[in-house]
Amino acid sequence: MDSAILHFISPPIPHFVDCGYACYEVGDSHITRNCIRVFDLIVVRKGMLPIGENGRSWEIKEGEGFILLPDGHHYGSAPCTTDTEIIWIHFQTFGSWQMGTDMNQCMGNQMELIEEHKRLAYLNHADVCSIFIPKHMKLSPKALEVLETFFEQEHEPQSLRNWKRQASFQLFLQHLDRDLASPSNETSIQLADRIELFIRQNYASDITNSVLQKNMNYHPNYLAKVMLKVYGMTPMTYLQYYRLEQSKRLLLQTPWSIARIADEVGFHHVSHYSTCFSKKEGLSPSDFRRKFAKAR
């Protein structure tokens, strides 16, 4: 179904807060609330729930899920016309997220959101990835099966129950993220992940489009198209991005010279490294080290 897409960056992965059941008889409506400060995932197990948010209305049918936003105005858009049962899950995230109209918009904004997330979550040189969750979704049988496990630990000690629910929630999000991909998107994601893994494992070596073509067995133009679709940048752009990220680790964690760090991450000329670094970070490698590693 057509739906807006919620785009999260992790780590940290969006975390489970609370969950429960609710029942509505004919004529009942969903409660009216404003800015509840958590995401509210509603899954209809039976019947149909009319729901409204910020002036828009939806009908959530049996087997469907819907995510209400933490900063929105939520209400029942109409009374229930049949007895309805729902599961609700509250969750939250630390860092950056946004909602796009479709996957193309999410992909176009991906790198900007990642950079914002790194600043907000203090992950200056960590590897992060995107999680895409539809706002309105038809749940797969596997996702529904995982959902039921949230309530299987009611007799467990609280600490153990919370650990298990968080693990179940992460598995549930993984199903939602993967179920969103069409067969063609899934193929693109798998190839893009292969390219990204190859770059991560060999970034200090000489990687060219020809090298990627030989190892991936696809034309460089197709590899670039796939990486643009999934990561928002070509393989060569991602290679430079990853090298610079690794150099930031070394600037903060080692006393090595700038020249040695440039060589360690795959730049043959320290001047080229410094130019690329300054263009991306807005300060030189030396200034970056002085700013963020003063104790050293």
Side-chain angles (χ1 to χ4, degrees), residues 191-192 194-196 198-200 203 207-213 216 218-229 231-243:
L191 178 56
R194 282 180 57 205
I195 300 168
E196 193 272 344
F198 181 84
I199 289 173
R200 278 197 292 114
Y203 69 92
I207 299 179
T208 63
N209 283 320
S210 297
V211 170
L212 288 175
Q213 181 178 14
M216 301 295 146
Y218 285 99
H219 192 278
N221 289 346
Y222 182 69
L223 298 178
K225 180 180 178 180
V226 165
M227 280 293 285
L228 276 169
K229 182 177 183 179
Y231 284 90
M233 60 182 83
T234 66
M236 292 300 102
T237 303
Y238 185 83
L239 173 62
Q240 179 172 293
Y241 166 83
Y242 192 79
R243 283 171 169 169

Side-chain angles (χ1 to χ4, degrees), residues 34 43 58 99 103 114 129 194 198-199 217 220 230 265-266 292:
N34 193 50
V43 176
W58 294 263
M99 186 167 68
M103 285 296 292
I114 284 175
C129 64
R194 282 180 57 205
F198 181 84
I199 289 173
N217 202 28
V230 178
V265 299
F292 294 107

Side-chain angles (χ1 to χ4, degrees), residues 99-278:
M99 186 167 68
T101 56
D102 54 31
M103 285 296 292
N104 288 334
Q105 185 181 64
C106 289
M107 291 299 186
N109 296 336
Q110 183 169 216
M111 293 315 300
E112 180 181 347
L113 189 64
I114 284 175
E115 291 304 314
E116 178 189 81
H117 177 81
K118 287 187 174 184
R119 290 192 298 271
L120 292 178
Y122 305 102
L123 300 171
N124 290 317
H125 52 273
D127 292 333
V128 299
C129 64
S130 291
I131 299 173
F132 301 104
I133 308 295
K135 182 176 178 64
H136 186 192
M137 69 206 82
K138 178 68 174 178
L139 296 176
S140 68
K142 287 185 177 180
L144 288 169
E145 183 179 331
V146 172
L147 192 64
E148 294 298 333
T149 67
F150 281 82
F151 303 96
E152 292 178 358
Q153 296 98 20
E154 285 300 326
H155 301 293
E156 299 269 14
Q158 184 183 49
S159 58
L160 183 59
R161 181 171 69 248
N162 287 342
W163 276 109
K164 288 185 175 181
R165 281 179 170 171
Q166 176 60 29
S168 295
F169 179 67
Q170 292 181 196
L171 180 59
F172 183 66
L173 286 185
Q174 185 178 14
H175 281 298
L176 297 186
D177 179 63
R178 287 302 181 182
D179 289 345
L180 180 62
S182 66
S184 60
N185 282 339
E186 185 67 24
T187 300
S188 296
I189 290 169
Q190 290 176 357
L191 178 56
D193 284 348
R194 282 180 57 205
I195 300 168
E196 193 272 344
L197 179 61
F198 181 84
I199 289 173
R200 278 197 292 114
Q201 292 177 336
N202 300 278
Y203 69 92
S205 305
D206 288 331
I207 299 179
T208 63
N209 283 320
S210 297
V211 170
L212 288 175
Q213 181 178 14
K214 181 179 179 180
N215 282 272
M216 301 295 146
N217 202 28
Y218 285 99
H219 192 278
N221 289 346
Y222 182 69
L223 298 178
K225 180 180 178 180
V226 165
M227 280 293 285
L228 276 169
K229 182 177 183 179
V230 178
Y231 284 90
M233 60 182 83
T234 66
M236 292 300 102
T237 303
Y238 185 83
L239 173 62
Q240 179 172 293
Y241 166 83
Y242 192 79
R243 283 171 169 169
L244 292 175
E245 290 298 296
Q246 296 310 301
S247 77
K248 286 157 68 175
R249 291 177 184 266
L250 297 178
L251 287 167
L252 298 178
Q253 297 172 4
T254 75
W256 295 351
S257 69
I258 304 301
R260 178 178 177 182
I261 289 174
D263 185 64
E264 288 284 341
V265 299
F267 286 92
H268 295 304
H269 303 287
V270 66
S271 59
H272 182 222
Y273 164 65
S274 296
T275 298
C276 293
F277 191 99
S278 299

Side-chain angles (χ1 to χ4, degrees), residues 35-47:
C35 298
I36 63 174
R37 301 176 66 183
V38 291
F39 293 90
D40 186 5
L41 169 62
I42 295 173
V43 176
V44 175
R45 303 177 74 215
K46 173 186 175 183

